[in-house]
Amino acid sequence: MTTPALSVVVLSWNTKQLTLACLDALFGESPRHAREVIVVDNGSEDGSADAVAERFPQVRLVRNDENRLYAAGNNQGAALARGELVCTLNSDTEVRPGALDRLVDFLRANADYGAAAPRLSDPDGAVQHACQRFPTLMSALCFDSWWGSFWPGSRVVDRYLMRDFDHLSSRDVDQPPGACCMLRTAEWRELGGFDERLALFYNDVDLCKRLWAKGRRIRYVAEAEVMHHRGASTRNFARMLVVWHRNRLAYYQKHYGRLGGVWVRVCVRLRIWEEWWRIGRRNRKDPGRRRAERDFLKAKQRELWSP
């Protein structure tokens, strides 16, 4: 059996039609670099695994009994990779012809780079501004909060989200789009893949930060295009908000230490107080709805801080 140049890991959870479309795109082209496709089905209940097995028997299919979430599922797939390079690819994507070959070419030609990622586009072709700089203590305070709605907080958010970059040209970035990212398999394993303490969010940020800490650069390759249905792989996950905050806290504790964790807890409490005020403001004439929304907020707060 020919050893592939690239192993593509597709993680699927209740995205049957999107997963099939993702695989249609992968197998709908004749790549210059031999590849294998590994699909990890994370306990889907929509028949995804059976549909993949029936339509794409050439896929290496892993069936999990439960949803192991993003980091563990991708690590599970990457552990099976036989290729020189490994690419994590969300199930809500469709690679455009030649996109993955371009990433392979780039990494093979540039040994000082640890990872490469493509330009993401909406179904209508509009570019997605998905690259970001590494989060700082100030971005923890300002992102998605009142503090980021005016200067200087707005400047912090603009810098964090790289609003100064049109995403139409190739350049080095801190953190490329997580929906598709390619690394050398040996380096992925040396780094230990995704940190599974960051089960659903911030695992790609952490991996990129660890690459940069080793002196390894990361390239955003605008000439390689991948279509992406934004949020389709997570929108049905009921605990998304709570897990996002927990994973963000774990990321800051890992990279900023104990004081970083304390700071994020303060930021979260400020955001909760802000939301409490917003609920009261928008429901001034409806005390029943105000009470219901605040009860929901309190329940989420208890869930967030529970062990």
Side-chain angles (χ1 to χ4, degrees), residues 106 117-120 127-131 162 164-173 176-177 218-224:
F106 180 85
R119 169 170 54 92
L120 299 184
V127 65
Q128 294 184 9
H129 291 205
C131 293
M162 292 190 71
D164 56 330
F165 176 40
D166 62 11
H167 287 67
L168 297 177
S169 58
S170 299
R171 60 170 287 178
D172 289 2
V173 295
I218 299 172
R219 191 70 171 179
Y220 170 81
V221 183
E223 296 77 18

Coordinates of all heavy atoms in Angstrom, one line a residue, residues 106 117-120 127-131 162 164-173 176-177 218-224:
F106 N 3.3 24.1 0.2 CA 3.9 25.2 1.0 C 4.7 24.6 2.1 O 5.9 25.0 2.3 CB 2.8 26.1 1.5 CG 3.4 27.2 2.4 CD1 3.9 28.4 1.8 CD2 3.6 27.0 3.8 CE1 4.5 29.4 2.6 CE2 4.2 28.0 4.6 CZ 4.6 29.2 4.0
A117 N -2.7 27.1 6.7 CA -4.1 27.0 6.7 C -4.6 27.8 5.5 O -4.0 28.7 5.0 CB -4.7 27.6 8.0
P118 N -5.8 27.5 5.0 CA -6.3 28.1 3.8 C -7.2 29.3 4.1 O -7.5 29.6 5.3 CB -7.2 27.0 3.2 CG -7.8 26.3 4.4 CD -6.7 26.3 5.4
R119 N -7.6 30.0 3.1 CA -8.7 31.0 3.2 C -10.0 30.3 3.2 O -10.3 29.4 2.5 CB -8.6 31.9 1.9 CG -9.8 32.9 1.8 CD -9.5 33.9 0.6 NE -9.1 33.3 -0.6 CZ -10.0 33.0 -1.6 NH1 -11.3 33.2 -1.4 NH2 -9.5 32.4 -2.7
L120 N -10.8 30.8 4.2 CA -12.2 30.3 4.3 C -13.2 31.2 3.6 O -13.0 32.4 3.6 CB -12.6 30.1 5.7 CG -11.8 29.2 6.6 CD1 -12.4 29.1 8.0 CD2 -11.7 27.8 6.0
V127 N -15.2 36.2 1.5 CA -14.1 35.7 2.4 C -14.5 35.8 3.8 O -15.2 36.8 4.2 CB -12.8 36.5 2.1 CG1 -13.0 38.0 2.4 CG2 -11.7 35.9 2.8
Q128 N -14.2 34.8 4.6 CA -14.4 34.9 6.0 C -13.2 35.4 6.7 O -12.1 34.9 6.5 CB -14.7 33.5 6.6 CG -16.0 32.9 6.0 CD -16.4 31.5 6.6 OE1 -15.7 31.1 7.6 NE2 -17.4 30.9 6.1
H129 N -13.3 36.4 7.6 CA -12.2 37.0 8.3 C -12.0 36.2 9.6 O -12.6 36.5 10.6 CB -12.5 38.5 8.6 CG -12.5 39.3 7.4 ND1 -12.2 40.7 7.4 CD2 -12.7 39.0 6.1 CE1 -12.3 41.2 6.2 NE2 -12.6 40.2 5.3
A130 N -11.3 35.1 9.5 CA -11.2 34.1 10.6 C -9.9 34.1 11.3 O -9.8 33.4 12.3 CB -11.6 32.7 10.0
C131 N -8.9 34.7 10.8 CA -7.6 34.7 11.5 C -7.7 35.7 12.7 O -8.4 36.6 12.7 CB -6.5 35.2 10.6 SG -6.1 34.1 9.2
M162 N -8.0 40.9 14.1 CA -7.3 41.2 12.9 C -8.2 41.9 11.9 O -8.2 41.6 10.7 CB -6.7 40.0 12.3 CG -5.6 39.4 13.1 SD -4.7 38.0 12.3 CE -3.7 39.0 11.1
D164 N -7.6 44.7 10.7 CA -6.7 45.4 9.8 C -6.2 44.5 8.7 O -5.5 45.0 7.8 CB -5.5 45.9 10.6 CG -4.7 44.7 11.3 OD1 -5.4 43.7 11.7 OD2 -3.5 44.9 11.5
F165 N -6.7 43.3 8.6 CA -6.3 42.4 7.5 C -7.5 41.9 6.7 O -8.5 41.4 7.2 CB -5.6 41.1 8.2 CG -5.2 40.0 7.3 CD1 -4.6 40.3 6.1 CD2 -5.4 38.7 7.6 CE1 -4.2 39.3 5.2 CE2 -5.0 37.7 6.8 CZ -4.4 38.0 5.6
D166 N -7.4 42.1 5.4 CA -8.5 41.8 4.5 C -8.6 40.3 4.2 O -9.6 39.9 3.5 CB -8.5 42.6 3.2 CG -7.2 42.4 2.4 OD1 -6.5 41.4 2.6 OD2 -7.0 43.1 1.4
H167 N -7.7 39.5 4.5 CA -7.7 38.1 4.3 C -7.6 37.7 2.8 O -7.9 36.6 2.5 CB -8.9 37.4 5.0 CG -8.8 37.3 6.4 ND1 -8.9 38.4 7.3 CD2 -8.7 36.2 7.3 CE1 -8.8 38.1 8.5 NE2 -8.7 36.7 8.6
L168 N -7.2 38.6 2.0 CA -7.1 38.3 0.6 C -5.7 38.0 0.1 O -5.5 37.6 -1.1 CB -7.7 39.5 -0.2 CG -9.1 39.8 0.0 CD1 -9.5 41.1 -0.8 CD2 -10.0 38.7 -0.4
S169 N -4.7 38.2 1.0 CA -3.3 37.9 0.6 C -2.7 36.9 1.7 O -3.2 36.9 2.8 CB -2.5 39.2 0.5 OG -2.6 39.9 1.8
S170 N -1.7 36.2 1.3 CA -1.0 35.3 2.2 C -0.1 36.0 3.1 O 0.6 37.0 2.7 CB -0.2 34.3 1.4 OG -1.1 33.5 0.5
R171 N 0.0 35.6 4.3 CA 0.9 36.2 5.3 C 1.0 35.2 6.5 O 0.3 34.3 6.7 CB 0.3 37.5 5.8 CG -1.0 37.4 6.4 CD -1.4 38.7 7.1 NE -0.7 39.0 8.3 CZ -0.8 40.1 9.1 NH1 -1.7 41.0 8.7 NH2 -0.2 40.2 10.2
D172 N 2.0 35.5 7.4 CA 2.1 34.8 8.6 C 1.1 35.3 9.6 O 0.8 36.5 9.7 CB 3.5 35.0 9.2 CG 4.6 34.3 8.4 OD1 4.3 33.7 7.4 OD2 5.8 34.4 8.9
V173 N 0.6 34.4 10.4 CA -0.5 34.8 11.4 C -0.2 34.0 12.7 O 0.5 33.0 12.7 CB -1.9 34.4 10.9 CG1 -2.3 35.3 9.7 CG2 -2.0 32.9 10.6
P176 N -4.5 30.8 12.6 CA -5.3 30.7 11.4 C -6.7 30.1 11.6 O -7.0 29.7 12.8 CB -4.5 29.8 10.5 CG -3.8 28.9 11.4 CD -3.5 29.7 12.7
P177 N -7.6 30.1 10.6 CA -8.9 29.5 10.8 C -8.7 28.0 11.3 O -8.0 27.2 10.7 CB -9.5 29.5 9.4 CG -8.8 30.7 8.8 CD -7.4 30.7 9.3
I218 N 3.6 30.1 11.3 CA 2.3 29.6 10.8 C 1.9 30.5 9.6 O 1.9 31.7 9.7 CB 1.3 29.6 11.9 CG1 1.7 28.7 13.0 CG2 -0.1 29.2 11.3 CD1 0.8 28.8 14.2
R219 N 1.5 29.9 8.5 CA 1.2 30.6 7.3 C -0.3 30.5 6.9 O -0.9 29.4 6.9 CB 2.0 30.0 6.1 CG 1.9 30.9 4.8 CD 2.7 32.2 5.0 NE 2.8 32.9 3.8 CZ 3.4 34.1 3.7 NH1 3.9 34.7 4.8 NH2 3.5 34.7 2.5
Y220 N -0.9 31.6 6.6 CA -2.2 31.7 6.0 C -2.0 31.8 4.5 O -1.4 32.7 4.0 CB -2.9 33.0 6.6 CG -4.2 33.3 5.9 CD1 -5.4 32.6 6.2 CD2 -4.3 34.3 4.9 CE1 -6.6 33.0 5.6 CE2 -5.5 34.6 4.3 CZ -6.6 34.0 4.6 OH -7.8 34.3 4.0
V221 N -2.5 30.8 3.8 CA -2.3 30.7 2.4 C -3.6 31.1 1.7 O -4.6 30.3 1.5 CB -1.9 29.3 2.0 CG1 -1.6 29.2 0.5 CG2 -0.7 28.9 2.8
A222 N -3.7 32.3 1.2 CA -5.0 32.8 0.6 C -5.3 32.2 -0.7 O -6.5 32.1 -1.1 CB -4.8 34.3 0.4
E223 N -4.3 31.6 -1.4 CA -4.5 31.0 -2.7 C -5.2 29.6 -2.5 O -5.7 29.1 -3.5 CB -3.2 30.8 -3.4 CG -2.5 32.1 -3.8 CD -1.8 32.8 -2.6 OE1 -1.5 32.1 -1.6 OE2 -1.5 34.0 -2.7
A224 N -5.2 29.1 -1.4 CA -5.9 27.8 -1.1 C -7.3 28.2 -0.5 O -7.4 28.8 0.6 CB -5.1 27.0 -0.1

